Amino acid sequence: MEELRFRQIHMDFHTSEKINTICSEFDADDFASTLESAHVNSVTCFSRCHHGMLYYNSKKFPQLIHPGLKNNKNLLESQIDACHKRGIKVPIYTTVQWDYYMSMNHPEWNCISSDGAFIYRCFDGKTPKVYSPGFYRTLCVNTPYRQFLKDQIEDVINVVGKNNVDGIFLDIVKVVDCSCEYCKKGMLEKGYNPELYEERIKYAQEMIHDFKKEMTKFIHNIKPNISVFYNGSHIGPRTMKDKEFYTHWELESLPSGKWGYAHFGNTVRYARTSGMDYLSHTGKFHTSWGDFHSMKNKEALEYECFRMLAYNSKCLIGDQLHPDGRISPEVYDLIGDVYAQVEKKEPWCTKATEVVELGVLTSEYYKTDSDSSLKKIPDEITGICALLDELGYQFNIIDEDEDFRKYKIVILPDNILCSDFLADKIDNYIADGGRLIASYRSGLNYSETEFAIKRLGISLVGDAPYSPDFLVPTSEYGKRLFKTEYVMYNQGKEIKINDAKEVVKAYIPYFNRTWEHFCSHLHTPSSHKYGYPGITECKGNYYFMHPIFSIYQEKHPKWCKEFLRDVLETLIPQPLIKHNGPSTMTVTVNEQKEKGRYIIHILHYIPNKIADEILTIEDVIPLYNIKLSVCLPHAVNGVTLVPDKEQLDYEIFQNNEISFTVPKISGHCMIELSYK
């Protein structure tokens, strides 16, 4: 397949059947020329929306064509034709689990909860009742509805013509805890007990897996080699298990919506380990999908798109066409300004791959619940991403199927319980020279009775008897901190040392806070008495007794970062990159092997929490004279700011290390380090 394009639009068109003048002002030439002028080279357009309406001249389902499309039943066909004339691709959208018309007219096709109610998956995270507005009643693809989906996809491909179909985007495809008659029957046939939640979820996962397999085969039998993507709002380990049915990833992550700015960095670092091509979604909306007549601040849209480039992702901006069909010139002035900059940067982003030194094992891999949404990204994963970003380390989020040998250090954050398989894999990784950092429950066996990873050199005693307790820095660990107690807010694990050595001590309070004995407002202060080991080291493998990454996500105490910083600096004296910039600066390192060069991306945008609901970016705060020290596998022979091609002076040290200074960073800059 052709590589994904860098400058894409997802053109929503969820339009009520109660609006009776649909596309009265639509002009196909204006639509496509506006996109072209905005440097757009791919736009996803609608065949069918969440209201259940069709936007093409359907032969099989003429009754579903939007009743307001009185004079333009060929809307999709005309969009495709006008865009193709300008070299713009047009993947075709269809909805899957949300279809208001089908859910109301075929109640037997709806997902049913274990207590017999219809299942709603509301966009705003609430549970709508019968009279709440919205099309969020969930349809089950285990019912005859699956055949309707096939028929509708085949219908639209035939109507617009196979040669005009660039891809199929199937929206809202998630694992659902469904107890409809079809699912109950399927569970019984497979020997599952429908009364047990765990068995319902296992069946639901298998059913969605089979649905994707069947649907991709069906689509490619009609037209081979077109793109196919199933959107579930998040790419995680469960999605990765079905990757053979996808042609690429699309990371839906609108930072001003429910995703927030942290979600993208977590997800992209995992998705990119698959080796598949991928693009990322943001939106032109001030908030999220369906926010009509709003526009994102230009500074925010720049950051979101340039951040995609920094992580080797193609860019996609979500928009929604007005019911009258008129494409907004003002919106595309905004998008065009950003995409013109993206276009200039593309040569240094094409076929680039990440250069990393750490692998962070995700606890999301082990979740078994039905909700694979972004809200289920564990706190410890969000916390460690923020922490490592602030320290400037280059890392991937990985699962236990990954080759650990790619990484100098593997980190098990807070809640990675170990099967025999994982324990053996880690043991072999350490034997081959890799190093491990684990915290809290990580490294324990599934029953949490003992450590499955023996190379940590410790044994479990149990839950720490005091909480909170306190860590005391030393000259090696926490060396930038005052030499006093630092509170660790969440309860840890008490351990006994075997082959390890204690590198940081934990001190205990006078007593735990209860109704019988308490002190002050929050917790009891330290008694200055030693309690148990806080951080241990065994032949280069470290264990933190506390859930430091969850603590960091919840409360952001700098001392957690400082303890980890010193452990990492001990293990990697020469990291890939070091800088003197602030913690708000993000740095990534990529390589274009065919071009013989590394590309360093530096981003400095600061999302502000001024509003109650969302983070915003209004200003670009420039940085000056940022010094970077880089230690990469190849010897560098040139340092250039791109795309402006300004040469920078640099110094060369041992082991391919170089240093140079970037005079000014205004939002985003890229530095080419050539080695050929």
Side-chain angles (χ1 to χ4, degrees):
M1 280 187 60
E2 178 188 335
E3 189 174 357
L4 293 172
R5 298 188 175 187
F6 273 94
R7 290 164 274 121
Q8 304 200 29
I9 296 292
H10 184 101
M11 189 66 76
D12 257 15
F13 201 54
H14 302 295
T15 307
S16 172
E17 66 281 3
K18 301 295 175 63
I19 300 175
N20 59 15
T21 54
I22 301 299
C23 289
S24 58
E25 296 185 31
F26 176 77
D27 182 288
D29 186 66
D30 179 61
F31 177 83
S33 63
T34 300
L35 294 171
E36 182 182 36
S37 297
H39 303 267
V40 173
N41 53 19
S42 181
V43 57
T44 302
C45 290
F46 272 40
S47 71
R48 173 167 148 258
C49 74
H50 291 335
H51 289 273
M53 301 292 99
L54 303 183
Y55 300 96
Y56 62 96
N57 197 9
S58 173
K59 305 306 178 188
K60 285 190 177 180
F61 308 105
Q63 74 280 11
L64 298 180
I65 298 173
H66 197 296
L69 274 176
K70 297 180 176 66
N71 301 316
N72 195 356
K73 293 184 179 180
N74 299 311
L75 173 63
L76 178 61
E77 300 97 302
S78 59
Q79 288 172 326
I80 292 173
D81 183 58
C83 287
H84 279 180
K85 287 178 181 177
R86 291 165 173 81
I88 300 171
K89 282 197 164 188
V90 189
I92 295 172
Y93 174 102
T94 192
T95 186
V96 177
Q97 288 174 317
W98 289 345
D99 181 314
Y100 182 75
Y101 180 92
M102 290 299 168
S103 69
M104 300 303 289
N105 286 276
H106 289 278
E108 73 280 9
W109 292 356
N110 284 281
C111 290
I112 304 295
S113 69
S114 58
D115 60 5
F118 290 135
I119 292 177
Y120 294 90
R121 297 182 68 93
C122 187
F123 191 69
D124 62 5
K126 300 175 183 177
T127 303
K129 304 300 180 184
V130 173
Y131 298 107
S132 296
F135 33 58
Y136 308 113
R137 191 187 289 182
T138 306
L139 289 158
C140 180
V141 296
N142 206 22
T143 67
Y145 176 58
R146 184 183 300 197
Q147 185 59 50
F148 166 78
L149 287 170
K150 288 182 176 181
D151 292 342
Q152 192 262 311
I153 290 170
E154 184 175 35
D155 179 50
V156 69
I157 292 174
N158 289 335
V159 168
V160 303
K162 292 180 184 179
N163 292 335
N164 289 323
V165 178
D166 297 318
I168 302 293
F169 182 101
L170 299 97
D171 198 16
I172 315 299
V173 183
K174 299 184 180 184
V175 173
V176 181
D177 177 12
C178 179
S179 292
C180 74
E181 294 304 315
Y182 297 93
C183 286
K184 284 192 292 186
K185 180 181 177 183
M187 283 184 263
L188 293 172
E189 288 175 350
K190 287 199 166 200
Y192 292 129
N193 182 353
E195 296 181 74
L196 300 178
Y197 171 79
E198 293 78 9
E199 300 213 358
R200 293 198 305 272
I201 294 305
K202 186 175 180 181
Y203 175 77
Q205 290 169 345
E206 291 176 3
M207 189 271 289
I208 284 292
H209 174 91
D210 292 342
F211 167 76
K212 293 174 185 176
K213 178 180 179 180
E214 181 180 332
M215 194 62 70
T216 298
K217 181 179 179 181
F218 174 77
I219 292 168
H220 282 161
N221 281 341
I222 300 173
K223 184 177 180 182
N225 300 321
I226 61 171
S227 65
V228 176
F229 179 73
Y230 302 89
N231 186 41
S233 296
H234 176 59
I235 303 298
R238 186 178 297 148
T239 323
M240 191 75 78
K241 293 175 182 178
D242 295 340
K243 71 177 185 177
E244 62 187 297
F245 313 129
Y246 294 71
T247 57
H248 65 286
W249 299 132
E250 299 198 23
L251 281 57
E252 185 181 10
S253 188
L254 279 62
S256 53
K258 59 182 179 176
W259 292 263
Y261 276 99
H263 175 263
F264 172 73
N266 299 351
T267 305
V268 71
R269 286 187 171 99
Y270 180 72
R272 69 186 182 182
T273 64
S274 69
M276 293 171 63
D277 203 359
Y278 54 97
L279 62 88
S280 302
H281 291 213
T282 184
K284 70 88 186 175
F285 315 104
H286 181 64
T287 58
S288 192
W289 300 108
D291 188 359
F292 287 105
H293 308 291
S294 77
M295 278 194 276
K296 181 157 286 177
N297 299 333
K298 177 187 169 186
E299 296 81 5
L301 194 59
E302 286 178 337
Y303 172 50
E304 290 156 22
C305 289
F306 300 161
R307 187 169 65 153
M308 295 173 194
L309 298 181
Y311 291 100
N312 302 317
S313 174
K314 311 308 193 298
C315 305
L316 182 147
I317 299 172
D319 185 18
Q320 179 148 347
L321 194 64
H322 191 279
D324 66 16
R326 179 178 174 271
I327 191 168
S328 168
E330 295 80 11
V331 165
Y332 286 89
D333 284 345
L334 169 66
I335 292 173
D337 193 318
V338 176
Y339 270 179
Q341 297 177 71
V342 169
E343 188 172 16
K344 290 179 181 178
K345 298 171 189 283
E346 282 175 30
W348 291 271
C349 303
T350 303
K351 295 184 178 178
T353 55
E354 74 275 10
V355 182
V356 296
E357 54 206 333
L358 310 179
V360 175
L361 198 65
T362 178
S363 44
E364 191 182 352
Y365 182 82
Y366 307 98
K367 287 189 172 292
T368 58
D369 56 75
S370 65
D371 192 347
S372 60
S373 73
L374 49 101
K375 290 186 176 180
K376 293 297 181 179
I377 293 179
D379 280 352
E380 62 268 20
I381 301 303
T382 304
I384 194 171
C385 279
L387 199 157
L388 293 176
D389 251 348
E390 291 166 16
L391 292 174
Y393 284 93
Q394 306 302 303
F395 64 100
N396 277 336
I397 303 295
I398 63 175
D399 58 41
E400 64 178 40
D401 297 325
E402 175 74 315
D403 182 358
F404 292 177
R405 294 172 297 178
K406 297 178 182 177
Y407 308 99
K408 294 179 180 178
I409 301 172
V410 168
I411 302 177
L412 311 186
D414 294 359
N415 292 300
I416 308 293
L417 302 179
C418 290
S419 63
D420 291 342
F421 168 79
L422 180 56
D424 288 344
K425 186 169 183 175
I426 290 172
D427 186 69
N428 292 331
Y429 164 73
I430 294 172
D432 288 339
R435 291 294 174 258
L436 182 73
I437 297 173
S439 59
Y440 188 44
R441 298 167 67 225
S442 292
L444 292 171
N445 59 18
Y446 274 1
S447 58
E448 300 189 55
T449 56
E450 62 180 354
F451 281 94
I453 301 174
K454 303 305 180 186
R455 288 179 183 264
L456 289 171
I458 55 178
S459 298
L460 178 68
V461 176
D463 289 337
Y466 294 95
S467 182
D469 44 23
F470 314 89
L471 295 186
V472 179
T474 69
S475 59
E476 289 184 85
Y477 302 98
K479 57 178 174 279
R480 297 168 183 83
L481 300 171
F482 294 111
K483 301 304 181 279
T484 184
E485 294 102 326
Y486 284 86
V487 60
M488 301 302 290
Y489 295 103
N490 296 358
Q491 185 178 24
K493 293 289 184 183
E494 184 179 0
I495 53 113
K496 181 178 72 173
I497 288 177
N498 298 328
D499 301 325
K501 63 179 180 180
E502 180 182 64
V503 297
V504 174
K505 300 178 186 293
Y507 284 66
I508 59 174
Y510 291 100
F511 42 73
N512 285 325
R513 184 179 179 87
T514 74
W515 69 272
E516 294 179 294
H517 39 74
F518 55 88
C519 182
S520 191
H521 295 289
L522 290 180
H523 62 79
T524 310
S526 173
S527 66
H528 310 304
K529 293 180 180 178
Y530 172 75
Y532 26 75
I535 305 174
T536 61
E537 183 264 335
C538 183
K539 299 177 181 178
N541 303 296
Y542 286 81
Y543 175 76
F544 291 74
M545 68 166 286
H546 296 98
I548 63 164
F549 304 111
S550 300
I551 293 172
Y552 199 72
Q553 171 61 15
E554 292 167 9
K555 295 184 172 65
H556 216 72
K558 189 176 180 181
W559 50 92
C560 288
K561 177 164 61 177
E562 292 303 324
F563 283 122
L564 182 69
R565 183 204 299 267
D566 291 337
V567 167
L568 290 171
E569 288 181 353
T570 300
L571 292 175
I572 310 180
Q574 283 189 308
L576 288 172
I577 193 161
K578 292 186 287 188
H579 63 78
N580 66 346
S583 63
T584 50
M585 190 178 96
T586 299
V587 183
T588 67
V589 184
N590 301 318
E591 183 178 11
Q592 289 180 301
K593 293 181 181 179
E594 293 179 6
K595 302 284 187 180
R597 63 195 185 193
Y598 299 105
I599 309 298
I600 294 175
H601 292 256
I602 303 177
L603 293 146
H604 191 248
Y605 296 83
I606 303 176
N608 288 320
K609 187 69 168 71
I610 298 172
D612 287 340
E613 294 184 9
I614 62 171
L615 294 164
T616 58
I617 299 174
E618 288 192 13
D619 302 299
V620 176
I621 302 173
L623 300 174
Y624 296 92
N625 299 319
I626 297 299
K627 185 175 181 180
L628 293 98
S629 174
V630 182
C631 189
L632 294 164
H634 294 96
V636 171
N637 58 28
V639 179
T640 309
L641 282 172
V642 291
D644 296 332
K645 298 187 177 180
E646 176 187 343
Q647 300 291 322
L648 296 179
D649 294 330
Y650 60 97
E651 292 183 84
I652 303 175
F653 303 95
Q654 293 180 340
N655 301 322
N656 294 334
E657 183 180 5
I658 67 165
S659 70
F660 55 91
T661 298
V662 181
K664 182 179 180 180
I665 299 164
S666 184
H668 176 229
C669 80
M670 300 189 300
I671 306 116
E672 173 192 308
L673 280 63
S674 57
Y675 59 76
K676 274 190 177 179

